[in-house]
Amino acid sequence: MATIHQLPSSVVNKIAAGEVIERPASVVKELMENAVDAGATRIDVTVGQGGLELLRVTDNGCGIEPDQLPLAIASHATSKIQDADDLFHVQTLGFRGEALASIAEISRLVLRSRTANSAAGAELEVVGGEQQPVGPCGCAGGTTVEVHNLFYNTPVRRKFLRSTQTEMGHVAEAFTRIALANPSVHCTLRHNGREVYDLPPVEDWLPRLGCFFGHELARDLIWVESRDGDVVLDGYAANPSHSRASARLQYVFLNGRSIRDRALQHALSEAYRGLLLTGRYPIAFLRIAMPADMVDVNVHPTKLEVRFQEAGRLYSQLLGTLRTKFLSTDLTARLTPSVEHEAAAAHNPARAEQLREELVRWAKGQLPAFDAPVHRASQQGQAVALDFRTETSTPLELVPLRRSWQPVSSFEPEDDELAADSLPEPESSLAGAASPVAALQVHNRYLVTSSEEGVIVIDQHALHERILYEQLRARVLGGALESQNLLVPEPVSLSPAETAAALDARDVLAQLGIQVEPFGRDTVLVSSYPAMLAGLSPAELLKDVVDRLLGGGKTPDRRDLLDELLHMISCKAAIKAGDRLTAEEISALLAQRHLAQDTHHCPHGRPTALVFTREELDRQFKRT
Ligand code: ADP
Ligand code: MG
């Protein structure tokens, strides 16, 4: 029988480190949070080699007394709470007293600090948990924590780390969250000697959001605010003309802490229902302030998740706040200039409801055009929404559909064959004799046709998506995907994390015909592009691909990644439910149906077609 024994503190600390310090970005989060808790008005973050070589966080906060330095790096030692009761009134970001101890266990950590009332600073060095004696040092008021060679003594953890660029992307994301939660703090970030961000303190949130996410987006953010009892909600939600392929641009700050909350994400999606295409996620930056005892922050080691006492009420507050705001003049005026002059009537509930309906109708009207080839035209200008609006009245051109077929001769039906091929002879005369109809389009989403077997109902989007997917995959695997060099490479501005992800996935993207190159700080150049996707904007496509890359969390293997991107691209490029098709387009689609390898299911696993057999119909009509 094994004996039970107390683990040495170094093992305890390594276990804690495993929970709290996953990668260099976790260190940045913990150290910046300590600086905020110390009342700093300036925080400087310096990173070497994605944080593997060096992470340094300097603040001008309250500092630590020399005799307290050893305690600061001891485990379960904190100045922030006294007893268990305090756990339910936490006012600071930290309270577990584990971060410095954990970091010191798995790196060489140097802690320098000086309080306002001491003449000189003191320094403490810890190597792999082994403390050196505290000594004097010269330093400004505040604290500097330097972390060298993170994970040097935990090779397994180190092995899980990704490229410098990816790790730096995560560091930048951690930095972003703290800097967004604390706009009045001057924050800077440097990597390998280069300045990444220098954010002066601001009173208003908007300029800081603009620094991180671009001023174009900042211009289209809508201010929202509400109060429900002691709970105050404020922040910005993006105009529905902006959206992303994942929930990554949904930032929620609870009492100054960045959190993830599924229910609140759901409330956001609900609020935008009808305004965004399915599969698109709203963009929002929201702050919630509530008394500390209304929320439990001690449910997750890094406190990313919290538990609300009145989760349902908060959900309703968020949803209600956004809905009410979306009914108001700004959004409506922006989306539908025709009703602009009536904006003043928006406070009238009946008129408001009417406006909402118009808005939804307008939004729906935009949907077919979103992925249609008109994108090209709108790339240059800012007024993307306006371009869409002018295009909705013109019939949809099925350019991606046709393009995808032309270059591969073995798949390409002869033009005159196409018509014949696409016409499974209707057995009844319902279709009429005048012009041959391949299938009847109903509800602008289903194609009804017949075969020997019976009646077939086809989901136009699912079928087209499947065809495109099979085509793309065959070509990508055969190395035959044509890509088209852009005459002028298109610069796409991304966040540092996104830039890193895009550059990291360069070879997979190249396989898909998308060539990206680094270009300045937070910009990548798209220099070539899959020819069959000529109808889509390279910038939009790249942003969606990057969202997918970052959204997964785990590192997918290369094949999964490729497959997922193929699904995404075929879904984007395919005609949509709601697109009205011309007879030629229907014929072309049905002709291609026989050529795809497995057209019964779209790549998402939904069926592309349902067959009602003749026997079944006869039975239903009581003919047998
Ligand atoms: P926690 O933040 O949960 O208390 P840490 O291990 O992060 O635990 O820090 C331990 C203690 O060290 C803190 O409670 C605080 O008293 C002190 N400390 C850490 N960083 C700083 C800093 N930048 N400025 C002032 N004091 C700090
Ligand atoms: Mg802390």
Side-chain angles (χ1 to χ4, degrees), residues 29-35 37 77-78 80 93-100 103 303:
K29 169 183 183 286
E30 294 295 336
L31 298 184
M32 288 185 78
E33 286 189 350
N34 281 346
D37 282 345
T78 181
K80 298 172 191 174
L93 294 170
F95 58 85
R96 296 164 59 109
E98 277 182 331
L100 289 185
I103 300 165
K303 309 165 195 112

